[in-house]
Structures are given as C-alpha cells and as structure tokens.
Amino acid sequence: METQSFSPMLDRVMAQEIQSVSWSKTMDVCAILYVNNQLEICRVSEQLQRMFIIQEDDAISNIIVESMFLAYNVGNKLYFYHLASHQKIIQSTLIKNSDKITQMLLVQVNAKIIKEQELQAAIIPLSTTNLKNWQNLCFLKQQQINNIIFSLTNKQIAYNFNGILHLGEIEHSSTTQLFQLENELHCFSKQFVEIYDIGLLKHQQILKYIQQLSYLNELLCFLKTSILLINTQLQDIFKCYQLNIIGPLVAFGPQETINYHILQFYQKGNCPQELVQFFQKELYNTKILQKMDDNITNSFNNIQEIIQDSLMNVLSRILIIINFFIQSKNMPFYQGLHKTPFEELQETIQKIQKVFSRFQIECHQTKLHLRNFFVWLNLCAIKAGNEQEVECENVNSPLNKIEVDLSKLFDFLKDNHLFQLRNLQCFYQEKISPKTFFTKVVVQKNVEFKQTENVTKILKNVFRDSYIDNIQQKQNKIEQEDSFVTVNSLVRQLQNYLDKISINLKPQLINKINIDLSSSIIRFSEQSENSYMVSVLINNSIVQYTYQSKSFQQLHQIQFNHKYIKELQYFDGKLIILSTNHQDNQLQQQLTAYISSEDLETQNKFECHSIKDLQVSKKGLISIIIDSKKLIILSI
C-alpha cells in the first residue's frame, strides 16, 4: 500500500534549466547550478531565499557547501567563497596539468595547530594594494579552516592543504571514486578498492609544518604579486618618457647622444633646429609636460606605497616565518642536515630586502630629477614660443611656478645612464647591471662605451677630465665589486628554493580488496564507528555492502520490479531511491517517478517527462529536478 509520508515543502519552476543541486552538510542551504554555469546560493525554508549568485565562463563541478564556505572546481582550479560575506577568498590551482577533476574530497584536520604567538608574523594585515593572496591568509587564520583536499583525475589523486600548498599525488589508472574513513582514504575502482593510510597527513607535528609552510607560500605569492605590480608601474613610466621625450628627440641621431645635445644647449646656448622644433611643436602651448609630470609622479607614488606598505612589510614577516623553520630543531623533513633550504631562502629574501631599499631611494631621486627636468623644458618651451602670446598652456602650468634646480639639472643631463632611466631598468633587467647611484657613475664593461669613434669624442667632451683614465678606473672598480643582482634573478632564485622546500608526502597503501563495483552509480552512507555502507546499482538491482574490520561484507540485494532506478542517496543510514516506470524516455512520453525508501515503500510519486538529480541533505531535505526547470523540495 502506497503512502505519502514525505511532505512537499517547495515546488517552483525556475527561470533557467537546472543542472544540479548541492546541499550544505550542516544548514538548510543549497547551491543550484544552472546549465549556463551560473551558481545560485539559497537558504531554504518555505521558499528559496537567494543569498548570492556566481557566474563562471567555464563549467562548474564538484560543488561542496560547508557551514562557512562554498567550494567548487572550474577546470583544474579551486574556488572558495565565504558564505556570510559572499566574497571570494581563495582561487588556486589544484593540479599542475589541465586534466579534469572528477571528484574533490575535503578532509578536515585539527583546526588549532599553531599557537597564536607563532602566527603573529603572518596575521597582521598588509596594505590594500593587492588583497587577493592576503585574503586567503586572513580567512584561514580567522576561521581556523584546515582541510586536506584530494582531487581525483583520470591519472592521479593530488592532495594539498587548503588549496594552497601542494603535498603530493598518487598515480592510478582506474580509480573512479574516493571516500574517507578516519585515517583511511578508500579509492574505488570497478574491480577493487585500494586503502591508503593518510594518518601521516593528520600528524600534529607534520600539520604544524604544513600550516606554517602554507602561510609562507601565500606570503611569497603576495611578494611576487607586489614585485609584478612595481614592474607594471615602472613600465608605465618608461613608456610615457620614451613616447614623449626620447622618441621625438631621436631626430638628433643616436639615442645615446640626446643628452649631450641638450647639455650643449644648456651650457653654451647652442640650440640645433631639431631642438627648436621639439620645443615649439611638441611642448609649446600643450599640457603634455604637466600630464607627464602627473602620470609619472603618480606611478612613482604607487611604487613607493607598494614598497613601504606591502613589500617591505611582507618581507619582514617572511623572514620571521623562515626563522621559525630554521630554529625548529625537530622538523620531520630536515633532521640531520647541516643546512636546510630555509637558510638559502633566507639569504634570498634578505637580498630582495636590500635591493628594494636601494631601489626605493633610486625611485625617489629619479622622480625629483624628472620633475626638475620637466620644469626646465616647460621654461624652454615658453621662450621658444611666440613671446608676444603671454597666455598659453605652458605659462598657466603649475610647472611654471617651480624654480629650476640648475645643479640637479646638470647632473641629470650629463649622466646618460640616468637620462635614459637605465638606473631603474637595471633593477629588473639583467642586460644592464651596473651598481649605479647618483653619487657616482659606474659604467658596465663593454656595454656603454663600445660605440663609434664619433660618439666616443662626444663623450670625451662631456666628461672632459682624464676621460680614458676615468673610464679605466671605473671598469677596474666594477671588476672588484660584486655583480649586481636583479629583481628578476632573485625571483627565479626564490622559485628554485621554494621547489626545494616543497614536500611530497606519500600515503602508504595498506590494503587492496577485490570487489565488483562495475557500476556508474556508487553511493556511500555516513561513517559510523569506523564503518560505512556502500550501495552499488547493477542491472537495476541495488547491491549493498558494509565496510568494517578492514573488509567489505555484502549485506543484501534490493530488486525493483516494473520500476527503473535512476538515482539513490543515503539519509540517516537508509536509502532514498528515485525510480520511474520507463527505462528511458526518448519519445518524451509521460513518466511516473517514484521516491521510495529501501524497504520499497513508495513515499511520493510525480507525473513528468523527465526527472533527475535526487539529492538528500543531512537535515532531511530532498531536492528533485523535474522537466529541466522545475525544482521540488521535500522534507523527510
């Protein structure tokens, strides 16, 4: 006799075709995935209350809704969203290749691993210049969320800590599904189950190391992002200067002699026609100099802010965490080694700190030199223009209210290295690598002065005093000095040392059990006292197994007559089964769908053309998708 024991709670036709529904493990919250890759997060009561919507360009898969966060995959990437704030908190790559992730399994580990005083170096907020990596750190620290995430592809099972730190991988050829039971990872294939001991990943001493290393990894990502942002600002400065100053002045001939011609004009009043045209056509009665000054000053200020508020700050915190590893005598990975990779990493970070301290001073001085140069060019443009036309853009420019520092101008024009802004380029580019300060002019051997005889004569006039002796002395000094280390080379060193520090924890294979699981549908119950149940759909029959005492035992088989099983899910240790009265419905005829319990008693039935995706929440809510757009939610 059929009874109607599952009470309808919600029946709604959605605006779009629904692909799947995923339930929270602890709350009446679900994530509805539509076929257009839109994910809608809703609270469920007597009606659906939308919390927020996520739209992705590519396919969303493996949706997991926890009490505080939402996780899902897009390709090989992991996305974490905070449910309360609706903010993306983590975006990372789970696997190194582009293989599709077929299942993502989160294994929670002990939340309180590190004492507060040990974390203080990594929890002080940094600048808001770039928050992407820093948000990962703050969220994980504040919420004490710590998970080992297993990602299953057709070739391997990769696992990492919180989606941040790669821990290793298990190669396989046939695993189709994963399940975790206490300290065991069960890898299901069609013919057998491999059981791995993952207790090593949950060991407190190793977890302490892993968590600190994940913080270090994120801080280093933040560091590299800050360095990239500085380089972007630098490129804006170079492009602006090249486009508006160097470019128009190449009419003089070789770029290396531009500063000489301007210096001749400044010292002797010799003004070639090309320079007159530059003043009159490019600079006179335009806002170009003022715009250049504004843009370049803004870029320098941005660099200053990134270095002071972000980069130097994070370097100090990195050094504190590295010191934590160096001082830890009982770390499990480097016992017995005279020198660990952390010492080398520490040296690299200290070099980066030193380079950017010098770079900060260089940027400030260059900004002052360029401002002074623009003030002088603005004055030259006014004098080169129509003197009777008093009102022009140059006269009204704020640059016209600043007095030229002639001594600073002379230093800028006589130093081609500074004039070409190579003093800044050398910090990032390896081809030009002198140790340059404003107190001295150091020229790299066989780079600057390997020129034509004509250029050499010009340079003799610029430097005037003992040209050959002066250059030889500087070349000898270079040979005695340490080679200049560029930012790019330091970042490469950084990555090399990170690769050395990265760990590869291999869970031990402790058992392999032969079992027939040749089915497209395998469902697991909740674990209880080191045991759980598995239901396998084979030829419209449900075969049930129980796992306990390190082995699988077949319980019984459920056979449906005149009904075709489409989906099954566990709730509170019992099966909820979705079936229809037709095996397929290619002709789109009317179907009768049944929601049944494992004792074959029908709890509900529906008339429809299609039905899919039976999902049961731990709070006792059942969701069913009918005819693509209709969502029905029942309460058990």
Side-chain angles (χ1 to χ4, degrees):
M1 180 178 180
E2 294 184 351
T3 61
Q4 301 289 324
S5 59
F6 294 167
S7 57
M9 184 176 175
L10 187 142
D11 187 333
R12 178 186 287 189
V13 177
M14 312 302 282
Q16 304 176 59
E17 185 177 345
I18 307 169
Q19 184 171 321
S20 65
V21 177
S22 303
W23 286 97
S24 167
K25 295 180 179 180
T26 57
M27 302 184 297
D28 291 340
V29 173
C30 68
I32 304 172
L33 177 63
Y34 299 98
V35 294
N36 67 344
N37 298 320
Q38 187 180 87
L39 191 60
E40 184 177 1
I41 319 306
C42 302
R43 293 189 186 278
V44 181
S45 53
E46 295 180 355
Q47 58 183 357
L48 285 178
Q49 299 175 345
R50 179 189 296 168
M51 297 171 64
F52 60 99
I53 290 178
I54 300 167
Q55 181 69 58
E56 297 286 356
D57 295 331
D58 298 319
I60 297 173
S61 62
N62 305 316
I63 302 166
I64 298 173
V65 187
E66 293 285 355
S67 58
M68 289 186 290
F69 65 88
L70 162 77
Y72 61 87
N73 296 136
V74 176
N76 64 349
K77 295 189 181 302
L78 166 71
Y79 294 85
F80 265 83
Y81 276 80
H82 190 206
L83 289 180
S85 66
H86 311 164
Q87 296 296 311
K88 184 191 294 183
I89 52 175
I90 290 179
Q91 176 181 332
S92 63
T93 301
L94 285 177
I95 56 175
K96 298 176 182 178
N97 54 43
S98 58
D99 292 343
K100 180 182 178 182
I101 299 174
T102 56
Q103 184 187 353
M104 183 169 64
L105 178 68
L106 271 60
V107 177
Q108 188 171 2
V109 293
N110 193 332
K112 295 182 179 179
I113 301 169
I114 303 175
K115 295 179 182 178
E116 187 69 21
Q117 59 265 30
E118 292 176 327
L119 276 179
Q120 62 183 353
I123 61 175
I124 302 172
L126 298 178
S127 165
T128 56
T129 306
N130 189 290
L131 290 176
K132 195 171 290 183
N133 296 108
W134 189 246
Q135 284 176 336
N136 298 359
L137 297 173
C138 289
F139 177 78
L140 297 174
K141 165 63 185 68
Q142 292 165 4
Q143 306 298 336
Q144 286 294 327
I145 292 176
N146 293 292
N147 291 287
I148 305 296
I149 302 176
F150 292 88
S151 305
L152 173 65
T153 71
N154 61 344
K155 297 177 182 178
Q156 66 178 16
I157 303 164
Y159 39 98
N160 65 65
F161 182 72
N162 282 334
I164 295 173
L165 181 67
H166 180 76
L167 299 178
E169 58 274 326
I170 302 170
E171 301 298 328
H172 75 88
S173 59
S174 57
T175 301
T176 58
Q177 210 153 347
L178 304 176
F179 186 82
Q180 179 249 338
L181 178 69
E182 297 297 332
N183 290 334
E184 296 177 358
L185 178 68
H186 293 195
C187 305
F188 287 80
S189 302
K190 291 185 177 181
Q191 304 300 327
F192 54 85
V193 179
E194 292 181 325
I195 300 175
Y196 289 86
D197 181 4
I198 58 172
L200 181 69
L201 299 175
K202 302 170 79 174
H203 188 280
Q204 284 300 298
Q205 191 179 11
I206 294 177
L207 275 176
K208 186 175 183 178
Y209 177 92
I210 288 172
Q211 192 184 44
Q212 279 286 47
L213 198 55
S214 70
Y215 277 89
L216 177 61
N217 187 71
E218 282 300 282
L219 287 169
L220 290 168
C221 288
F222 189 94
L223 171 63
K224 288 192 282 188
T225 302
S226 298
I227 291 173
L228 182 63
L229 284 173
I230 291 171
N231 193 26
T232 301
Q233 295 293 329
L234 267 185
Q235 294 307 315
D236 291 343
I237 293 170
F238 296 152
K239 288 176 184 176
C240 182
Y241 190 69
Q242 182 72 27
L243 180 66
N244 297 293
I245 300 296
I246 302 299
L249 289 175
V250 293
F252 288 135
Q255 182 172 327
E256 303 298 326
T257 66
I258 292 174
N259 67 310
Y260 166 74
H261 288 287
I262 300 177
L263 186 62
Q264 287 292 300
F265 167 64
Y266 165 70
Q267 287 184 305
K268 300 179 180 179
N270 301 332
C271 189
Q273 187 60 33
E274 293 89 348
L275 194 56
V276 174
Q277 291 179 356
F278 173 68
F279 290 145
Q280 291 179 340
K281 293 184 177 180
E282 301 290 340
L283 305 183
Y284 180 69
N285 203 22
T286 69
K287 294 182 178 180
I288 188 64
L289 286 171
Q290 187 60 52
K291 288 181 178 178
M292 282 182 63
D293 182 63
D294 291 342
N295 293 338
I296 289 177
T297 299
N298 183 59
S299 293
F300 275 123
N301 291 340
N302 289 339
I303 290 172
Q304 187 81 2
E305 180 185 350
I306 295 169
I307 293 175
Q308 269 189 316
D309 298 341
S310 292
L311 191 135
M312 289 302 182
N313 210 342
V314 79
L315 284 171
S316 298
R317 282 147 180 76
I318 289 172
L319 287 172
I320 294 174
I321 293 184
I322 290 174
N323 189 60
F324 163 82
F325 288 111
I326 294 173
Q327 298 299 322
S328 298
K329 304 299 183 183
N330 298 318
M331 278 298 159
F333 299 97
Y334 300 111
Q335 289 182 0
L337 294 180
H338 174 68
K339 189 176 182 181
T340 73
F342 292 105
E343 277 88 351
E344 296 174 324
L345 182 58
Q346 184 184 51
E347 291 172 3
T348 300
I349 295 297
Q350 288 170 341
K351 287 180 181 178
I352 293 176
Q353 206 172 34
K354 183 178 179 181
V355 165
F356 274 101
S357 295
R358 292 166 51 180
F359 181 73
Q360 192 173 9
I361 297 171
E362 201 82 1
C363 283
H364 178 70
Q365 294 293 337
T366 305
K367 179 176 73 171
L368 297 179
H369 274 282
L370 288 175
R371 164 69 64 81
N372 190 60
F373 182 47
F374 296 154
V375 169
W376 180 73
L377 287 177
N378 189 70
L379 188 62
C380 292
I382 293 173
K383 291 183 176 180
N386 186 348
E387 295 182 358
Q388 295 179 353
E389 186 180 339
V390 179
E391 292 297 323
C392 67
E393 295 291 349
N394 304 85
V395 172
N396 297 327
S397 172
L399 293 174
N400 196 35
K401 299 176 183 179
I402 304 173
E403 187 174 345
V404 180
D405 185 334
L406 298 178
S407 175
K408 186 180 288 290
L409 179 64
F410 178 75
D411 290 340
F412 181 74
L413 293 178
K414 76 176 182 180
D415 184 355
N416 187 52
H417 191 77
L418 175 57
F419 182 80
Q420 301 285 349
L421 302 187
R422 290 179 184 149
N423 62 314
L424 300 181
Q425 291 174 343
C426 72
F427 280 88
Y428 274 84
Q429 298 177 359
E430 288 184 297
K431 290 184 178 179
I432 305 172
S433 56
K435 286 189 173 181
T436 300
F437 286 93
F438 293 100
T439 55
K440 62 178 181 177
V441 180
V442 181
V443 183
Q444 189 178 17
K445 187 178 180 180
N446 296 328
V447 174
E448 291 287 346
F449 293 95
K450 193 175 181 180
Q451 307 281 356
T452 64
E453 185 180 350
N454 183 43
V455 174
T456 304
K457 288 180 180 179
I458 294 172
L459 291 170
K460 282 183 182 180
N461 293 330
V462 175
F463 289 96
R464 298 175 188 271
D465 302 327
S466 305
Y467 169 74
I468 298 297
D469 294 338
N470 193 21
I471 294 303
Q472 187 62 47
Q473 289 174 8
K474 289 170 182 176
Q475 289 178 348
N476 293 337
K477 191 170 183 179
I478 290 173
E479 291 172 358
Q480 296 170 4
E481 290 179 340
D482 296 332
S483 60
F484 185 81
V485 182
T486 66
V487 173
N488 289 340
S489 64
L490 286 173
V491 171
R492 284 195 293 273
Q493 279 185 34
L494 196 65
Q495 191 57 55
N496 290 336
Y497 295 141
L498 282 178
D499 293 340
K500 291 181 182 179
I501 291 172
S502 63
I503 56 180
N504 191 5
L505 297 172
K506 288 288 185 182
Q508 181 183 359
L509 178 62
I510 57 176
N511 202 0
K512 184 175 181 179
I513 304 171
N514 293 324
I515 183 173
D516 184 9
L517 299 171
S518 54
S519 167
S520 59
I521 296 181
I522 303 174
R523 298 293 179 258
F524 305 96
S525 70
E526 290 296 306
Q527 53 180 282
S528 175
E529 297 181 357
N530 294 321
S531 67
Y532 63 94
M533 289 184 290
V534 183
S535 289
V536 183
L537 180 61
I538 302 175
N539 297 327
N540 206 45
S541 295
I542 300 172
V543 181
Q544 289 188 304
Y545 299 90
T546 182
Y547 176 81
Q548 59 185 2
S549 302
K550 307 297 182 182
S551 65
F552 287 95
Q553 300 293 330
Q554 183 173 335
L555 294 178
H556 54 272
Q557 186 168 331
I558 303 173
Q559 181 71 48
F560 269 43
N561 296 321
H562 311 298
K563 293 179 184 177
Y564 299 92
I565 301 171
K566 300 296 183 183
E567 182 56 271
L568 49 144
Q569 293 285 338
Y570 273 96
F571 172 72
D572 200 18
K574 294 183 180 181
L575 270 180
I576 308 296
I577 304 165
L578 171 64
S579 60
T580 61
N581 61 341
H582 294 289
Q583 187 169 7
D584 52 42
N585 195 24
Q586 295 179 353
L587 300 177
Q588 289 295 303
Q589 56 189 346
Q590 190 79 359
L591 285 178
T592 301
Y594 304 90
I595 309 295
S596 309
S597 55
E598 62 183 28
D599 58 7
L600 305 186
E601 184 177 283
T602 300
Q603 307 297 326
N604 292 80
K605 66 178 182 179
F606 307 93
E607 301 298 323
C608 56
H609 291 91
S610 67
I611 189 166
K612 65 175 182 178
D613 194 52
L614 170 79
Q615 297 292 331
V616 184
S617 78
K618 291 184 179 180
K619 304 284 282 187
L621 297 179
I622 302 173
S623 61
I624 318 153
I625 301 170
I626 291 178
D627 296 338
S628 300
K629 292 185 177 181
K630 189 174 185 180
L631 177 64
I632 294 178
I633 296 178
L634 308 173
S635 178
I636 297 177

